[in-house]
Amino acid sequence: MPLTPTERDRLLMFTAAELARARRARGLRLNVPEATALIADTVCEAARDGHRLAVAIESGRAVLTPDDLLPGVADVVTEIHVEAVFEDGSRLAVVSDPFGGGHLGDLAPGALLPGPAEAACERGLLLTVRNTAPVPISVTSHFHFFEANPRLSFDRAAAYGMRLAAPAGASTRFDPGCAAEVGLVPIGGARTAIGFAGLVDGLLDAPGAKEEALRRAAARGYLGATVPGGPSGATG
């Protein structure tokens, strides 16, 4: 039976998870690969059952406790990343504190813990976004929000150079025909946007970059894109 690399990886994860389930049923405590595979498989199966990202993550977090693990495993595995296929496409699920034991509070000095989006927005802004598409649209935490799906209607100029105020790997889902308020914060680091929808592909703060990106967005029908000093783009 011909399988893609992704399908082979999924079967390997499932096999490791089944081994973990069998050993756990015999009363054995799990090691790092076994615990990781079991939680990752649980997230993927929740996605396959049609659950949303947040529900799938919580399903993975609830499957094991520190008592199910060999000594030291909970200290080593503080976060599990797995790409799962949801109804609206493949999404990266990040299961933090995967064993529900509060180990995030025991991280080494200097570790960063994400705060609420509202706190992050003290340096950013709140923006109302409406999904005009007939299907759900999801945007991940570090996507250049200005370049998000053309059928999302919001103030594109205000969102230029911004991303969602959310921990890495998280995402926000916009349901069809619904409006939601989201928090945005400035993209950090070198402030370079490469890829995404191809509206910038360079330094965000380069002279004329924002104006050119708005022109491209308006020409391609992005809702909420308005060219400064020129005709307005589609507004939805």
Side-chain angles (χ1 to χ4, degrees):
M1 179 175 64
L3 297 172
T4 67
T6 298
E7 291 167 338
R8 287 197 296 269
D9 289 345
R10 180 68 188 94
L11 286 175
L12 179 61
M13 180 196 302
F14 173 77
T15 301
E18 283 293 282
L19 177 62
R21 292 186 184 97
R23 288 179 173 174
R24 184 188 182 197
R26 300 204 311 266
L28 299 177
R29 291 191 173 195
L30 304 183
N31 59 26
V32 169
E34 293 164 350
T36 301
L38 181 51
I39 290 175
D41 180 72
T42 300
V43 172
C44 289
E45 287 303 297
R48 184 67 176 83
D49 289 339
H51 294 299
R52 294 187 179 184
L53 176 63
V55 175
I57 290 174
E58 287 305 315
S59 298
R61 185 176 289 123
V63 72
L64 293 174
T65 70
D67 292 337
D68 297 313
L69 311 172
L70 288 170
V73 172
D75 298 319
V76 173
V77 184
T78 58
E79 195 170 78
I80 295 174
H81 293 218
V82 59
E83 186 172 349
V85 180
F86 294 84
E87 290 181 344
D88 54 350
S90 296
R91 311 268 290 282
L92 177 65
V94 180
V95 185
S96 57
D97 192 19
F99 311 113
H103 290 275
L104 285 174
D106 301 326
L107 291 176
L112 297 178
L113 299 179
E118 291 79 5
C121 283
E122 292 178 1
R123 297 183 294 105
L125 79 156
L126 293 174
L127 199 64
T128 299
V129 180
R130 182 164 60 90
N131 180 8
T132 68
V135 296
I137 295 174
S138 295
V139 182
T140 54
S141 58
H142 282 57
F143 195 92
H144 183 204
F145 203 80
F146 170 84
E147 302 183 61
N149 194 293
R151 304 315 301 170
L152 292 178
S153 180
F154 58 90
D155 185 347
R156 299 271 170 179
Y160 183 84
M162 310 288 279
R163 64 170 181 83
L164 286 169
S171 65
T172 296
R173 171 182 167 126
F174 301 94
D175 290 321
C178 297
E181 190 175 64
V182 297
L184 302 181
V185 292
I187 292 175
R191 286 187 55 77
T192 301
I194 300 294
F196 300 110
L199 299 179
V200 181
D201 276 340
L203 293 173
L204 289 164
D205 302 321
K210 180 176 181 178
E211 292 74 15
E212 176 61 18
L214 281 166
R215 185 194 65 75
R216 292 178 181 175
R220 299 179 190 178
Y222 278 72
L223 298 180
T226 302
V227 180
S232 298
T235 59

